[in-house]
Structures are given as C-alpha cells and as structure tokens.
Amino acid sequence: MIPGPFSYHRPQTLADAVKLLSTLGDEARPLAGGHSLVPMMKLRLATPAHLVDLHGIDGLKGVRHDGNKIVIGAMTTQHELLASGEIAKSLPILHETALLIADPQVRYRGTIGGNVANGDPGNDMPALMLTLGASYRLEGPSGGRDIAASEFYQGAYFTALEPGEILSSVSIPVPAAGHGYAYEKLKRKVGDYATAAAAVMLTMAGGKVATCAIGLTNLHETPLLAADAAKAVIGSSLDSATLKKAASAAEAIMSPAADARGPIEYRKHVGGIMVMRALQRAASRAG
Ligand SMILES: Cc1cc2nc3c(=O)[nH]c(=O)nc-3n(C[C@H](O)[C@H](O)[C@H](O)COP(=O)(O)OP(=O)(O)OC[C@H]3O[C@@H](n4cnc5c(N)ncnc54)[C@H](O)[C@@H]3O)c2cc1C
C-alpha cells in the first residue's frame, strides 16, 4: 500500500518543531520511529499532509537520573532502553517490557515517546507508565507542562496532547530498593501485540504484600490501573484465594474489544490470568 502525498519537515530544535506543528495545524503530525504512523499512512487510516520528523532535534534522546526520578528522552528507542545499564539496574520492568515489544527491527526504530503518545490500546508502555506513576513533559506553543500518565489517556488514539504539543520526555520515580516486578503478556505469536497483558510493581514486608500497583494493556480502549485488584492483595501472602480475588477485581474493569485476538469473555479471562501470573512472579522477585 502507498501512503497519500505529504510534505516532509526536519526541524533542528524543539522550538522550531512546535512552531511548525502549530503553524501547519491539524494537517501535521510529529514523526518519531514511524512504526505506528507509517503503517497507518500506508493503510490510509492516517493521511497527514505534513510530517514533522523529530530525529534532527538534539536533546530528545537518552536516560538520566534527576533526583529520585529517571528521565527518558522521547526519541530514545526501545533498543536503547534495552541497552541501558541504568534501566536494567533501576527499572528492570521497563527492560522486561521493552523486550516484549515486537521484534528487533521494530525496537531499533520505535521510540518510547511514540509508544506512549500514540494512544493505541495495544501499546505496551502506557499501562506500564501508569503502574510506575510516570509523568510526561509536553512542550507546546504556550510553553511546557507536565501531566501524569494516569491523566493522559482519554480514549483510543485520543490523548491529552493539545494541538502543536510534543511529548519531550518521560519521568519515572525510581522504585523502592528490593521491589518485585513483572510484565506478563499473552500474544498469539512472537512479535504480536498483546491479547492481554498485566504489569505489577510491589514491595513485600514479612512475607506479605506491603505496596502494589497493577496496570492492564489492551483490555480497554485506554490503559488501565487496576486499583481494586491491587488493594485486594495488600497485607496478603498471595494465597490462591487472594490471587483469584485480585483477578476478578481486575476483570471487573476490563472491556476489551472482540477482535482477531479473541472474543470479549476470553480476553477478560486471560487478562485475569495475566494479573495472577504477574503478581506471583513479582512477589518471587521481591527482596
Ligand atoms: C510489526 C509491528 C509490531 C508491533 N508490536 C508492538 C507491540 O507488541 N507492542 C507495542 O507497544 N508496540 C508495538 N508496535 C508499535 C511500535 O512499538 C511503535 O514503534 C510505537 O507504537 C510508536 O513509536 P514510534 O516511535 O514508531 O512512533 P511513530 O509511529 O512515529 O508515531 C506514533 C504516533 O505518535 C505521535 N508521536 C510520536 N512521537 C511523538 C512525540 N514525541 N510527541 C507527540 N506525538 C508523538 C505521532 O505523530 C503518531 O501519531 C509494533 C509495530 C509494528 C510495525
């Protein structure tokens, strides 16, 4: 399939990119790795008249510590996340999740900024960002602002990004030492989007769960934080009755689409199983 005609722009600064996007209006889209946008253009599901390529802008890449946060530039690729010693040490769940995205070819080009800004319920990073309590830095025509990941997703492909805004970085609070983590993803084959996936971050004290956050991917039109499911496991040693209670609390908020990945009931059922598996694996890793 061949995309419709478009003009290509390659600004050298973030300010120029914002200016271009604001001037060109609705007809313009930022281009990051292109691994979601270009397939949509080839299918003519997206027909932007202008692409504003972010690759020429310095300072949009890299992983750094800023106080008790890890800040990741939007144009950092999934491959670069996997290669980062800092991520492996401080945020191993991000490493685990990045490794479950597609295949090396996609990961060499696809960026964290594109993955979280896209708004596709099938993207893996958004639910993880909710689980980690991340926030996004947005730069726009009237300046910069920070927004919590939990307030960013408003519907399928519908986010809090205002016209002309670019997501420049993702900030993630450094998790507690000794935390347990797991990202469990069921897919039909290697390289596929999730049929259902769950992210779990927890801490244990005296053999019982002290804190817990659970995120869900592709089980609703937006990523979900399963707050009641997380509450259900606090103070427990994750016995099988508690695991089942957490799974049904999570299933209660799921409303996946019925599609080639299966009917609604099946996807909710396996979503609950992903929650139980992620809880067990996270607990086994907690110090
Ligand atoms: C075969 C295949 C399998 C895949 N499997 C998975 C998978 O299992 N899990 C998964 O999570 N993803 C998967 N993906 C998607 C992949 O991870 C994409 O790279 C990612 O979703 C988008 O990142 P990108 O950098 O390619 O963004 P692009 O495709 O360039 O952009 C995506 C959208 O976000 C906007 N955008 C991009 N960057 C910014 C920014 N900084 N600020 C504001 N808006 C921005 C663009 O305008 C566009 O609307 C797959 C892709 C392919 C081709």
Side-chain angles (χ1 to χ4, degrees), residues 29-39 54 74 78 100-102 106 109-111 113-115 117-118 122-125 161 165-167 185 191-193:
R29 294 275 281 274
L31 174 70
H35 270 64
S36 287
L37 183 54
V38 173
L54 306 181
Q78 289 143 13
L100 290 170
I101 291 179
V106 172
R109 292 292 297 173
T111 65
N115 198 294
N118 193 26
N123 282 142
D124 288 291
M125 291 297 176
L161 273 171
E165 278 187 325
I166 291 174
L167 190 151
K185 175 173 175 178
D192 194 17
Y193 287 89

Side-chain angles (χ1 to χ4, degrees), residues 63 76-89 91-104 106-108 125:
V63 177
T76 308
T77 64
Q78 289 143 13
H79 170 75
E80 286 162 343
L81 292 178
L82 287 171
S84 162
E86 184 64 63
I87 297 292
K89 183 167 67 102
L91 282 169
I93 193 170
L94 183 51
H95 183 100
E96 179 163 293
T97 306
L99 202 50
L100 290 170
I101 291 179
D103 50 45
V106 172
R107 297 196 293 260
Y108 274 120
M125 291 297 176

Side-chain angles (χ1 to χ4, degrees), residues 45-196:
L45 293 172
T47 50
H50 300 273
L51 288 185
V52 177
D53 190 345
L54 306 181
H55 281 92
I57 303 171
D58 281 341
L60 284 184
K61 259 186 191 267
V63 177
R64 67 182 167 87
H65 251 289
D66 183 5
N68 64 348
K69 295 198 167 155
I70 299 222
V71 181
I72 306 171
M75 289 298 284
T76 308
T77 64
Q78 289 143 13
H79 170 75
E80 286 162 343
L81 292 178
L82 287 171
S84 162
E86 184 64 63
I87 297 292
K89 183 167 67 102
S90 309
L91 282 169
I93 193 170
L94 183 51
H95 183 100
E96 179 163 293
T97 306
L99 202 50
L100 290 170
I101 291 179
D103 50 45
Q105 272 179 307
V106 172
R107 297 196 293 260
Y108 274 120
R109 292 292 297 173
T111 65
I112 187 161
N115 198 294
V116 300
N118 193 26
D120 181 342
N123 282 142
D124 288 291
M125 291 297 176
L128 176 60
M129 294 303 138
L130 262 55
T131 312
L132 290 167
S135 63
Y136 304 150
R137 179 76 185 166
L138 310 180
E139 301 292 341
S142 31
R145 64 184 176 117
D146 296 299
I147 181 165
S150 57
E151 288 168 20
F152 186 74
Y153 300 98
Q154 302 179 347
Y157 297 99
F158 185 50
T159 70
L161 273 171
E162 296 287 349
E165 278 187 325
I166 291 174
L167 190 151
S168 58
S169 64
V170 171
S171 286
I172 304 171
V174 177
H179 72 276
Y181 65 91
Y183 189 72
E184 282 286 341
K185 175 173 175 178
L186 179 74
K187 44 192 178 175
R188 295 170 300 178
K189 60 180 175 61
V190 171
D192 194 17
Y193 287 89
T195 298

